[in-house]
Amino acid sequence: MSALSFERFSYSYPGSDRPALREISVTVEAGEFVVCAGLSASGKSTLLRAASGLVPHFHGGQASGRVVVGGLDTREYGPGDLAQVAGTLLQDPETQVVMGTVGAELAFPLENRGLSRAAVARGVEEIALTLSIAELLERPVDQLSGGELQRVALGAALAARPSLVLLDEPTSQLDPVSGDELIWTLRRLNEEWGTAVVLAEHRLERCLAHADRVLVLSDGELVCDAPPREMLSWAAEHQPALQTPAARLFERAGLRPPPAGVKEARATLQSHGLLEPAASPQCDDSAASRSRPRWPRRAQSAPPPALSCRGLSFDLPSGAAVLSNLELSLQPGQQTALMGRNGAGKSTLLRILAGLQEPTEGKVSSEGRVALLLQNPGDYLIHERVDGEVGAEALAEFGLDDIAASHPRDISGGQRQRLALAIVLSGDRPSAVLLDEPTRGMDRAAKGDLITRLNALSAAGTAVLVATHDTELAAAMAERVLLLSGGRIVADAPTAEVLSGGWHFATETARVLGGQGQACTPEQGGALLRARMTIEAAP
Amino acid sequence: MSSVAESKVLLRARSSVCALYGFALVALALAFTHPLILLAVAAATFGAARLSGVQHQLRGAVRFAIPLALMLAVINGILVRDGVTVLWRFGELPLFGQVDVTGEAFVYGLLLALRVVVIIAASALLVAIVDPDDVLRRMRRSAFRSALTAALATRMIGVLTRDARRMDQARRCRPDGGGNGRRAQLLMVGSVAAGALDRAVDVAATLELRGYATRVAPPRGDSLPYSRADRAVLASALGLIALLGVGVGFGLAHFEPYPRIAAVTGLTELLYAALIVLAALAAPLIGERGRRR
């Protein structure tokens, strides 16, 4: 019996005349690891909701065709019944926990299955150990960070040991370390428990190496169903935005076939003699371990920093230090990425720099207004129409004039982000713009648009500081990377140095090339490889 | 549920007996106006909170209750014309007519204020000692829809509070500060309310996905036996309920505010008040002593 099968399944949300899914026919066998890819609004989330029974039982709308999950036909069985065979984790961890404490949250799905008290206790203990959240069991859920909430919600989805697990962008709020850990956990569950995994994800480089198959959706249709390497070859021709950085690196270097992951890419490069066998990411003392920046001292005539802080500290009411004696200076027009694991203090630093929060100690000074775009652009939207949020001129500048009459909640995620950016940038030109995790849940096309806007801001003399977990974004937009840990800046160096010298805070290109040539982007890596090929080919 | 380490009897006991205990204290405060009994219930409530380590939650609730209670006392003093001991004559006032503040109305107003504070404190103790997750679990078997609504509501409070905080920060990030005054506030409230619907749908979807609607009963005979803490709190709760029944049934601690204050206070009332404090504190005191042994 297959874990999941769709037979000519089509679905439209209530009130929509455009189908969200069209004639989907696909089967996921027991024990398979399937990645679901596609641009924003391609139908990935709807596909997962159909597999969990939320579509159409919970959302309503019109459906045709058939979906069978672990032998249960979703026309007859609702999400509660399907929960016995399929665990589901949706996008927002805030709304994915329903109980007061972590222990109660993990016990909840087991109790709902009518298990005995002893079986519930054993199940909670096992899943807590599996996901390394045993130390959180007594904690109230409202005291957890986003990453912790995500792991707890995953635990609740897996607690009943379902034969199929459906995950909608589970790593979108996680730092690179936690994101990798989560994917490895899924891989382990897949291999050891035989759990079939269907994972919708934008950052394909994180999960493609673990996948047996990739399903690509476009405008509600299944346009590709192939193993990772074949899917990447298909993407190169049909949807370049879905190519991973390693695949783009190979394309730039003129190598084929595209690799599904870092290991495969390195093996191919070594077999072509393009990579030294010993080449691995080097953590030299020039990057991550240096705490003192190497920026040239400001000359007498140089402009004053657009934004700076001195001796900045921030303590929680409990006394725990979030930021400790932090020094930072951003030059006009400089683009900087602020990185660090979950809970490192990135968001707190941005809020203090923007004046939203008072530091415990220290001083912030700026040459002008400091604009801050918080994590959730929807929080900025409080009017009934898009043109109520910001003037017509700004709408035109951000390419939003054609949706001026729409309700802000009805526009796409990318449009929301542009609108929120238009709001914070309206009025006087700010001396610095701060963005907190701006690419969460964004596809590569929308990211490219954001990078273009940041470049334009920078060219106009505005300092840009972006707090992000997305190493690819940092490599593409920033000239400088700050790495925050334990409330201090532990690395402050040019992007290439920081992002080419490690495992976790490194781009896929840097991991493939082992940090050689400090290449971080596929373009830089491709040029490096082509140069090597030219030297080799020379007599 | 309180985040205090669950070593105290009232935090260890099952939610059903804790709820009974909390409701008994609230009922006592509702049933009597006699100052001695109200003070006894207050002592019992704050004593139990102190022994359970949740006194800070009661302090927050009392801080909220005091302005409300004082307003009630003032209104009663001004509006009620009963009582024979006139303290102040304000003469004819527009809207109020002849205003005489009597000693009886003034004292009764203060007693009403004390009663409000005690009721709110006892309710805060109830909230602090009862595990809402356990209540939802038990309610689901008998009242599924109510439990579902309660589960959604309890979860939504936290979610919406955080949403409102974030939206307020986003408002302050606008170049114009998002504006001030009633219109800006209305926009914010409207926006949080509009988002609440989406958030409630998401939380409800999660409840569905966790199998909340399946209503499979646990195996028979799977309930935990009553622990020492359960028995101690149950005994205290039953003691309080018995005292409530006796007090109301026999008309003990009679109090008449008008025309003259008449508060029967004899040995019976003193003993009755002492028994309330003893019954309420027996569980936390004896339970902890037994545990230490």
Side-chain angles (χ1 to χ4, degrees):
Chain A
M1 182 175 62
S2 55
L4 169 68
S5 76
F6 283 78
E7 289 172 30
R8 305 192 60 179
F9 185 78
S10 297
Y11 172 73
S12 301
Y13 281 102
S16 170
D17 49 0
R18 200 169 137 262
L21 293 176
R22 301 165 199 253
E23 296 276 322
I24 300 286
S25 292
V26 69
T27 301
V28 175
E29 296 301 337
E32 264 195 306
F33 195 125
V34 176
V35 168
C36 190
L39 302 179
S40 295
S42 58
K44 302 187 295 295
S45 296
T46 309
L47 184 90
L48 294 183
R49 283 171 184 263
S52 66
L54 288 175
V55 161
H57 289 281
F58 187 80
H59 294 289
Q62 282 195 320
S64 64
R66 189 167 176 241
V67 182
V68 180
V69 186
L72 304 177
D73 191 324
T74 63
R75 290 174 301 186
E76 295 162 37
Y77 295 92
D81 305 304
L82 296 172
Q84 310 216 5
V85 288
T88 307
L89 180 64
L90 302 177
Q91 267 179 19
D92 185 0
E94 271 273 312
T95 53
Q96 290 287 289
V97 288
V98 288
M99 303 299 270
T101 63
V102 173
E105 186 66 34
L106 298 181
F108 186 59
L110 301 171
E111 289 164 349
N112 291 334
R113 292 183 73 177
L115 298 185
S116 70
R117 197 173 288 274
V120 169
R122 192 186 63 227
V124 168
E125 197 63 24
E126 280 193 354
I127 198 64
L129 290 171
T130 304
L131 297 177
S132 307
I133 49 175
E135 77 282 5
L136 301 179
L137 281 176
E138 299 299 322
R139 290 258 299 272
V141 293
D142 56 7
Q143 289 180 10
L144 302 180
S145 70
E148 288 170 335
L149 265 181
Q150 190 75 288
R151 277 192 291 161
V152 171
L154 177 64
L158 293 173
R161 290 190 72 159
S163 54
L164 169 68
V165 57
L166 308 159
L167 305 109
D168 195 356
E169 292 194 49
T171 66
S172 62
Q173 302 210 3
L174 303 182
D175 60 50
V177 183
S178 310
D180 287 347
E181 272 176 10
L182 191 120
I183 299 293
W184 277 105
T185 303
L186 291 174
R187 174 69 180 263
R188 215 176 82 224
L189 294 173
N190 174 252
E191 287 185 351
E192 293 178 8
W193 292 8
T195 310
V197 175
V198 180
L199 168 68
E201 184 63 63
H202 274 308
R203 296 187 202 174
L204 292 178
E205 62 273 18
R206 259 191 187 158
C207 51
L208 227 50
H210 304 283
D212 298 312
R213 275 162 67 202
V214 187
L215 309 177
V216 181
L217 289 172
S218 177
D219 201 19
E221 279 185 89
L222 182 64
V223 291
C224 177
D225 176 0
R229 204 187 280 185
E230 285 175 32
M231 173 267 165
L232 287 169
S233 298
W234 174 89
E237 274 183 44
H238 299 93
Q239 280 203 7
L242 294 182
Q243 283 181 296
T244 59
R248 280 187 288 139
L249 168 72
F250 269 45
E251 189 182 57
R252 300 289 186 283
L255 295 168
R256 291 187 71 81
V262 173
K263 186 180 173 185
E264 210 174 290
R266 288 170 66 82
T268 307
L269 292 181
Q270 276 169 355
S271 70
H272 285 78
L274 293 170
L275 196 66
E276 294 296 319
S280 63
Q282 293 151 14
C283 197
D284 59 25
D285 67 350
S286 64
S289 61
R290 180 177 41 247
S291 58
R292 189 178 294 173
R294 278 200 327 182
W295 305 107
R297 286 196 174 277
R298 185 157 56 90
Q300 290 294 328
S301 58
L307 178 66
S308 64
C309 65
R310 293 180 68 84
L312 204 69
S313 297
F314 182 77
D315 300 337
L316 292 174
S318 64
V322 179
L323 301 174
S324 304
N325 198 22
L326 203 132
E327 309 272 333
L328 174 64
S329 174
L330 300 177
Q331 295 305 316
Q334 190 175 46
Q335 293 195 59
T336 308
L338 176 65
M339 306 192 80
R341 59 186 156 79
N342 284 112
K346 301 186 296 295
S347 298
T348 306
L349 175 60
L350 293 195
R351 283 200 295 268
I352 290 175
L353 290 176
L356 273 188
Q357 213 163 333
E358 283 296 316
T360 311
E361 269 180 59
K363 196 180 165 200
V364 176
S365 35
S366 69
E367 278 299 294
R369 188 166 72 84
V370 178
L372 169 62
L373 183 66
L374 294 163
Q375 275 188 21
N376 189 351
D379 291 342
Y380 289 87
L381 313 179
I382 54 175
H383 292 86
E384 294 293 311
R385 285 164 54 111
V386 167
D387 55 6
E389 303 285 356
V390 75
E393 201 179 317
L395 285 182
E397 188 187 332
F398 281 80
L400 296 166
D401 40 355
D402 54 331
I403 53 160
S406 305
H407 193 287
R409 290 189 186 278
D410 294 338
I411 63 180
S412 74
Q415 288 169 330
R416 268 190 213 189
Q417 176 121 42
R418 268 188 282 158
L419 181 55
L421 196 56
I423 290 169
V424 296
L425 293 180
S426 58
D428 302 337
R429 186 179 71 81
S431 63
V433 175
L434 319 177
L435 299 96
D436 197 356
E437 285 294 343
T439 56
R440 212 173 60 171
M442 250 190 195
D443 60 35
R444 200 152 67 82
K447 268 188 215 176
D449 184 52
L450 178 69
I451 290 168
T452 307
R453 288 192 186 281
L454 296 182
N455 289 341
L457 278 169
S458 171
T462 301
V464 176
L465 177 64
V466 179
T468 184
H469 291 312
D470 188 342
T471 51
E472 309 299 333
L473 172 79
M477 54 72 58
E479 59 200 86
R480 173 189 182 191
V481 172
L482 308 171
L483 195 58
L484 200 62
S485 176
R488 293 174 188 277
I489 293 174
V490 294
D492 178 358
T495 305
E497 275 188 30
V498 177
L499 296 184
S500 65
W503 270 120
H504 291 298
F505 291 100
T507 60
E508 193 177 36
T509 302
R511 283 186 286 154
V512 168
L513 297 174
Q516 291 179 8
Q518 292 194 337
C520 289
T521 63
E523 291 72 23
Q524 293 164 351
L528 181 77
L529 292 176
R530 276 199 309 277
R532 286 187 182 168
M533 285 189 258
T534 312
I535 292 166
E536 277 190 6
Chain B
M1 187 66 181
S2 164
S3 60
V4 173
E6 311 221 348
S7 58
K8 308 292 182 185
V9 170
L10 283 175
L11 301 179
R12 281 204 317 275
R14 64 183 64 201
S15 58
S16 52
V17 296
C18 286
L20 198 63
Y21 179 91
F23 278 125
L25 284 172
V26 174
L28 276 164
L30 282 169
F32 294 96
T33 318
H34 196 293
L36 186 65
I37 307 303
L38 286 178
L39 287 173
V41 178
T45 303
F46 284 98
R50 179 75 194 256
L51 288 168
S52 307
V54 295
Q55 65 272 28
H56 60 284
Q57 279 162 276
L58 263 68
R59 271 203 294 272
V62 169
R63 225 175 280 139
F64 160 79
I66 284 175
L68 180 75
L70 288 178
M71 195 171 70
L72 205 68
V74 170
I75 290 171
N76 192 74
I78 293 173
L79 292 188
V80 176
R81 293 167 193 175
D82 298 328
V84 293
T85 316
V86 178
L87 297 178
W88 296 286
R89 279 189 194 281
F90 288 104
E92 283 285 333
L93 290 182
L95 296 176
F96 293 101
Q98 176 70 33
V99 175
D100 295 334
V101 176
T102 66
E104 288 78 11
F106 182 68
V107 170
Y108 190 55
L110 287 177
L111 279 177
L112 284 178
L114 175 64
R115 197 180 191 185
V116 166
V117 172
V118 175
I119 289 169
I120 289 178
S123 305
L125 177 69
L126 175 72
V127 170
I129 62 174
V130 173
D131 176 4
D133 293 343
D134 195 33
V135 172
L136 292 177
R137 222 174 271 137
R138 288 167 196 283
M139 267 175 73
R140 191 174 62 141
R141 288 174 212 151
S142 50
F144 174 74
R145 286 184 189 284
S146 308
L148 181 65
T149 310
L152 263 174
T154 50
R155 185 70 202 127
M156 287 304 293
I157 291 167
V159 171
L160 291 181
T161 305
R162 280 191 289 278
D163 281 357
R165 201 178 300 140
R166 282 200 331 269
M167 290 174 93
D168 183 52
Q169 287 191 339
R171 178 186 64 79
R172 287 162 56 202
C173 287
R174 285 172 174 259
D176 60 356
N180 288 311
R182 187 175 290 267
R183 189 166 177 274
Q185 283 174 348
L186 277 174
L187 277 171
M188 275 287 296
V189 171
S191 191
V192 173
L197 192 61
D198 293 341
R199 301 295 248 168
V201 168
D202 289 344
V203 175
T206 303
L207 283 167
E208 280 274 6
L209 291 171
R210 302 284 180 263
Y212 191 70
T214 48
R215 280 192 271 183
V216 181
R220 279 180 175 276
D222 191 46
S223 55
L224 273 179
Y226 269 60
S227 66
R228 182 187 174 85
D230 293 336
R231 288 198 298 272
V233 179
L234 182 63
S236 270
L238 292 177
L240 289 170
I241 290 167
L243 283 170
L244 175 69
V246 168
V248 172
F250 289 95
L252 296 181
H254 181 72
F255 180 84
E256 203 61 62
Y258 307 114
R260 285 183 192 281
I261 289 171
V264 179
T265 311
L267 189 63
T268 315
E269 280 70 27
L270 283 170
L271 191 65
Y272 186 68
L275 281 173
I276 288 174
V277 178
L278 268 178
L281 299 187
L285 280 172
I286 295 170
E288 287 307 315
R289 283 169 67 103
R291 203 173 147 77
R292 275 198 287 273
R293 273 202 302 272

